[in-house]
């Protein structure tokens, strides 16, 4: 994918940076891990610090000093997770902030305005994430709403996408510049954004019903988005069903455009889905699990809190070449966790992300090898 801020090779795993930060990992380490694209959550950034503030700061890239690509969700998923704090109408969703209880309204148009103000490379259409389980009538109604909202999202986005906050010639700190003086932080890189605009992806919904998924996919393809997501998965359904819906829906989406499955998954799942033809995935799992001491390794999952690691001098994963595994022992990682040291979250997360990103790198390598053969 050639995006305004990066060329991204697919299949790709995208670390989740909820509130303008991939929790516990500074941006220079994300660069070192070779993350090319991260997620930002529209709902969280809209509430705090506010999209207008971020626009004034030159957009999310410059605000958080992340020169590579950013994908923003539509805010829909978070808003719909609020349950009793929301009210859905054809026009949009009224919801109460989880921070202070204040009332807000998101429509497809407003979601586009917020995502454009944030300056994302890839924005997502405003959709209703159908809950699980949902009966057929409910999934049908939800799908109809999502299709109407997709059309409104696209229309508004096309009219306003040029209002993205990236300034001509101004990139992020350090980007494209050599550290010529100690206060390098004051230098801003020069980047050519001439003619570069963000893209908007459509989202397939339809609950767990094949015919609804088909209709959703076909109608979105008619609207002609540059990329498509399969949403409404990982909402509590059994893993078999997730796989089934992906397998049913993927062939209905153009193979020459990015196909993105939102909110998945475990390391073996992202490999499996990539093999099925999925190009993009994101999940809070590697970052969230890390903060709870769960490490993903080539030998399976490992709970670093376990007493058996107390004097284990080996690395978290003997087959991992990440900066954590090269330097720190399981014993030390376990101690940090027990002592509730903030560094624990940093090191655990860096390893888990390294493992996920490396897993996908190997998948890409495998695809290249097959292509070359
Ligand atoms: Zn590692």
């Amino acid at each position: 994918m050639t995006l305004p801020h990066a060329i991204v090779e697919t299949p790709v795993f995208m670390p989740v940076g909820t509130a303008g930060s991939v929790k516990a990992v500074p941006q220079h380490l994300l660069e070192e891990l070779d993350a090319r694209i991260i997620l930002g959550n529209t709902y969280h950034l809209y509430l705090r610090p506010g999209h207008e503030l971020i626009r004034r700061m030159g957009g999310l890239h410059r605000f958080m000093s992340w020169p590579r690509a950013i994908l923003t969700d539509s805010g829909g998923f978070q808003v719909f997770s609020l349950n009793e704090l929301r009210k859905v109408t054809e026009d949009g969703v009224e919801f109460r902030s989880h921070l202070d209880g204040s009332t807000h309204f998101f429509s497809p148009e407003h979601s586009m305005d917020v995502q454009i103000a944030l300056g994302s490379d890839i924005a997502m259409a405003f959709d209703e994430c159908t809950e699980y389980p949902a009966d057929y009538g409910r999934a049908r109604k939800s799908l109809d709403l999502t299709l109407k909202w997709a059309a409104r999202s696209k229309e508004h986005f096309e009219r306003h996408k040029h209002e993205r906050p990236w300034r001509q010639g101004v990139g992020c700190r350090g980007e494209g510049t050599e550290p010529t003086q100690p206060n390098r932080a004051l230098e801003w890189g020069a980047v050519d954004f001439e003619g570069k605009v963000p893209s908007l992806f459509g989202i397939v919904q339809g609950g767990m019903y094949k015919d609804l998924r088909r209709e959703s996919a076909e109608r979105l393809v008619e609207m002609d988005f540059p990329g498509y997501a399969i949403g409404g998965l990982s909402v509590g359904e059994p893993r078999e069903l997730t796989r089934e819906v992906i397998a049913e829906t993927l062939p209905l989406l153009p193979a020459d455009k990015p196909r993105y499955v939102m909110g998945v998954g475990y390391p073996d799942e992202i490999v499996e889905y990539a093999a099925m033809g999925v190009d993009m995935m994101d999940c809070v799992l590697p970052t969230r699990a890390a903060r709870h001491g769960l490490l993903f390794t080539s030998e399976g999952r490992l709970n670093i809190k376990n007493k058996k690691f107390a004097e284990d001098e080996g690395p978290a994963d003997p087959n991992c070449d990440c900066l954590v595994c090269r330097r720190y022992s399981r014993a030390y990682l376990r101690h940090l966790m027990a002592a509730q040291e903030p560094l624990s979250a940093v090191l655990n997360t860096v390893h888990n992300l390294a493992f996920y990103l490396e897993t996908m790198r190997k998948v890409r390598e495998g695809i290249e090898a097959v292509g070359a053969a």
Side-chain angles (χ1 to χ4, degrees):
M1 296 186 290
T2 305
L3 303 173
H5 289 85
I7 291 172
V8 179
E9 287 178 30
T10 63
V12 65
F13 179 80
M14 306 181 287
V16 178
T18 305
S21 157
V22 174
K23 284 193 200 306
V25 186
Q27 280 66 303
H28 71 278
L29 288 184
L30 290 173
E31 286 178 0
E32 199 163 320
L33 293 172
D34 203 27
R36 302 285 177 90
I37 177 168
I38 61 171
L39 244 79
N41 281 124
T42 294
Y43 166 82
H44 290 281
L45 293 166
Y46 158 81
L47 287 178
R48 186 172 60 193
H51 61 294
E52 288 301 343
L53 183 146
I54 290 178
R55 179 197 283 285
R56 289 194 297 276
M57 299 301 287
L60 185 57
H61 292 86
R62 186 166 157 172
F63 181 53
M64 66 183 284
S65 189
W66 173 249
R68 299 179 182 175
I70 295 176
L71 179 147
T72 48
D73 63 359
S74 69
F77 184 77
Q78 261 89 19
V79 167
F80 287 103
S81 309
L82 295 171
N83 289 320
E84 70 275 24
L85 294 178
R86 64 178 160 87
K87 196 172 86 190
V88 187
T89 62
E90 169 117 9
D91 201 33
V93 190
E94 188 183 273
F95 62 96
R96 300 232 322 268
S97 160
H98 73 288
L99 295 175
D100 60 6
S102 54
T103 302
H104 302 264
F105 183 76
F106 256 51
S107 63
E109 291 78 14
H110 185 55
S111 169
M112 296 307 108
D113 286 339
V114 174
Q115 293 184 74
I116 291 166
L118 295 175
S120 58
D121 293 85
I122 298 175
M124 300 303 298
F126 192 62
D127 65 326
E128 183 181 46
C129 182
T130 315
E131 68 284 351
Y132 178 83
D135 65 34
Y136 191 84
R138 160 73 193 132
R140 160 95 261 168
K141 230 179 115 187
S142 173
L143 168 61
D144 287 338
L145 189 62
T146 288
L147 285 170
K148 279 179 196 156
W149 285 356
R152 279 168 56 186
S153 293
K154 188 160 195 294
E155 203 201 322
H156 194 81
F157 184 83
E158 291 303 327
R159 241 181 307 132
H160 295 277
K161 64 184 178 186
H162 295 276
E163 296 162 23
R164 79 274 187 278
W166 325 315
R167 270 177 262 169
Q168 191 58 40
V170 180
C172 291
R173 283 190 169 132
E175 180 189 15
T177 60
E178 288 302 312
T180 52
Q181 40 183 308
N183 59 342
R184 178 187 169 186
L186 296 175
E187 295 177 20
W188 296 89
V191 177
D192 182 15
F193 285 119
E194 175 93 45
K196 291 185 179 176
V197 288
S199 302
L200 177 70
F201 284 16
I203 306 178
V204 177
Q205 290 287 350
M208 305 300 158
Y209 302 97
K210 281 181 201 172
D211 61 325
L212 296 184
R213 286 278 174 183
R214 170 176 289 274
E215 183 182 336
S216 176
E218 287 174 353
R219 302 247 323 253
L220 286 175
V221 172
E222 277 168 30
M223 291 182 213
D224 192 25
F225 287 91
Y228 299 89
I230 303 176
L233 294 177
S234 278
V235 288
E237 79 281 8
R239 178 177 169 165
E240 282 314 302
L241 197 49
T242 315
R243 195 192 178 283
E244 220 178 283
V245 171
I246 295 172
E248 295 279 344
T249 313
L250 268 183
L252 305 171
L253 300 170
D256 61 345
K257 291 187 176 178
R259 297 180 293 189
Y260 165 27
V261 176
M262 309 177 82
V264 294
Y266 282 95
D268 57 323
E269 290 173 310
I270 64 170
V271 172
E272 186 185 3
Y273 300 153
M276 289 163 67
V278 175
D279 300 295
M280 305 160 69
M281 287 167 269
D282 77 281
C283 193
V284 293
L285 196 57
T287 40
R288 182 177 291 164
R291 299 195 300 280
H292 292 102
L294 185 67
L295 303 181
F296 296 100
T297 78
S298 57
E299 299 172 335
R301 295 176 216 172
L302 177 156
N303 187 345
I304 200 64
K305 286 182 284 190
N306 200 311
K307 197 166 183 294
K308 71 179 176 192
F309 300 127
E311 298 187 38
D312 189 334
E313 290 208 292
D317 181 352
N319 300 310
C320 179
D321 193 38
C322 84
L323 54 111
V324 176
C325 290
R326 281 202 309 263
R327 183 159 189 159
Y328 304 102
S329 67
R330 288 172 172 179
Y332 182 60
L333 295 178
R334 178 180 182 273
H335 158 72
L336 289 180
M337 189 96 207
Q340 298 184 320
E341 284 294 329
L343 185 59
S344 165
V346 178
L347 299 184
N348 290 350
T349 309
V350 166
H351 163 75
N352 272 358
L353 282 180
F355 183 73
Y356 266 68
L357 294 169
E358 179 62 14
T359 297
M360 281 316 241
R361 197 191 62 73
K362 282 181 190 149
V363 170
R364 290 194 298 272
E365 216 175 66
I367 292 171
E368 268 173 26
V370 171

